[in-house]
Amino acid sequence: MTAGPGEHRPEQPRGERPDGEQRPERAHGEHAHREDAVAAAAAAASRRGGMNQILGENFSVADAVGGVRGLVESVAPGLVFVVVFIATGALVPPLVASLAVAVLAMIVRLVQRTPVTQAAGGLVGVLIGVLWAWRSGEAANYFAMGLWTNAAYAVALLVALVAGWPAVGVVVSLLKGEGFAWRKDPALLARRRRFVLATWLWIGMFVLRLAVQVPLYLDASVAWLGTARIVMGVPLWALTLWATWVLVREPRAPAAR
C-alpha cells in the first residue's frame, strides 16, 4: 500500500529490503564477521597451546610447554599412574592417585587465580581415562582416549592436506592475521611447500605415537605403554614444534647500509 500525501512513510532498516529480506551486502558482511570470529577463536586457541612460539625470532621450549609448571601438570598424572600401577599391580589405586594429582593441579590454579585452561584440559583427559579404565576393568584403557585422539588428529591433518589446506599454514596465517594467498600465489610457492612439509611432520608425530603405542595397548603392557606415553608426549611434541619453527620462520631482511 502506498502512502498518501502527508502520510508518514516508515523507514526501512538499513541493509533490509521492504519485504524484510537482507540485502546482499549486509548478508555478506555478517558472513565475513562470523568468519573473522572463527579465525580469532582459532588463533586464540593456538596461542594458548604454545603454537605462537613458531612465530618468534627465537624458540623457547619452556614457553612452548607452559614452563616447568605446565610440564609437571602434563606429565604428573600419567607418571603417577604408571608408578602406582607398578607398585600395586591393582587397578583402583593408580586411577585414584592419577585423578587426585589432576584435581590438585586444578585446585592450586583456582586458589592462585591463574589461568586454568591447561589444568582443566588435563583434568578432563584424566577423568575420561579413569572412567574408561574403571568401567572396562582394564588398566590399559586409561590410555585409550589418547590413542583415539592421536588417530583423529592424524586423519584430520591428512584430509586437510589433501584438500589443499596444510594445517600449519592455516595456523600461521591465523596467528599473523594474514590471508591465505600462499595457497594460490606462485610467488609464494616456497612458503606453501614449507607449510606442507611442516604439516607432514605433525602427521608423522601422531602416526609414530600410534605405531609404538597401539601394539603395547593391544598387548596390555600397561607399564611400557605408560612410559611410551610420557616419552612421546610433551618431549616429542616440543621437538616437533621446534622443527616446525625452523621450517616456517621467515628469513630476516638484510639490514640496510
Side-chain angles (χ1 to χ4, degrees), residues 57-221:
E57 291 186 1
N58 299 303
F59 183 84
S60 170
V61 174
D63 290 342
V65 302
V68 175
R69 183 173 190 170
L71 178 62
V72 170
E73 290 176 347
S74 300
V75 173
L79 178 61
V80 168
F81 178 88
V82 172
V83 171
V84 176
F85 178 81
I86 293 174
T88 65
L91 176 62
V92 174
L95 295 180
V96 173
S98 176
L99 184 58
V101 169
V103 170
L104 178 61
M106 185 70 176
I107 292 175
V108 171
R109 289 271 187 180
L110 291 173
V111 170
Q112 296 180 345
R113 297 184 178 180
T114 54
V116 300
T117 305
Q118 183 167 345
L123 177 58
V124 171
V126 170
L127 184 59
I128 292 174
V130 167
L131 291 175
W132 200 329
W134 177 66
R135 291 290 301 273
S136 65
E138 298 291 339
N141 281 332
Y142 176 82
F143 303 104
M145 184 63 185
L147 298 177
W148 282 104
T149 301
N150 279 280
Y153 274 123
V155 171
L157 292 181
L158 184 59
V159 170
L161 192 60
V162 171
W165 289 89
V168 170
V170 173
V171 170
V172 169
S173 297
L174 291 176
L175 289 175
K176 287 185 174 181
E178 298 177 346
F180 304 100
W182 48 266
R183 295 186 61 244
K184 303 294 184 181
D185 190 345
L188 300 176
L189 180 60
R191 181 185 297 182
R192 173 181 169 81
R193 286 174 175 169
R194 294 201 305 272
F195 289 156
V196 168
L197 181 56
T199 302
W200 274 116
L201 283 179
W202 287 93
I203 295 173
M205 182 196 74
F206 293 122
V207 171
L208 178 61
R209 285 176 173 175
L210 293 171
V212 172
Q213 296 172 22
V214 169
L216 296 173
Y217 170 79
L218 295 176
D219 194 46
S221 300

Side-chain angles (χ1 to χ4, degrees), residues 17-64:
R17 296 175 178 171
D19 58 3
E21 294 182 2
Q22 289 185 334
R23 290 180 178 174
E25 58 268 23
R26 178 172 177 180
H28 177 73
E30 291 181 353
H31 178 68
H33 179 71
R34 287 194 297 269
E35 288 186 342
D36 291 342
V38 172
S46 297
R47 286 191 291 270
R48 289 193 299 269
M51 290 297 291
N52 58 325
Q53 284 295 310
I54 62 179
L55 301 184
E57 291 186 1
N58 299 303
F59 183 84
S60 170
V61 174
D63 290 342

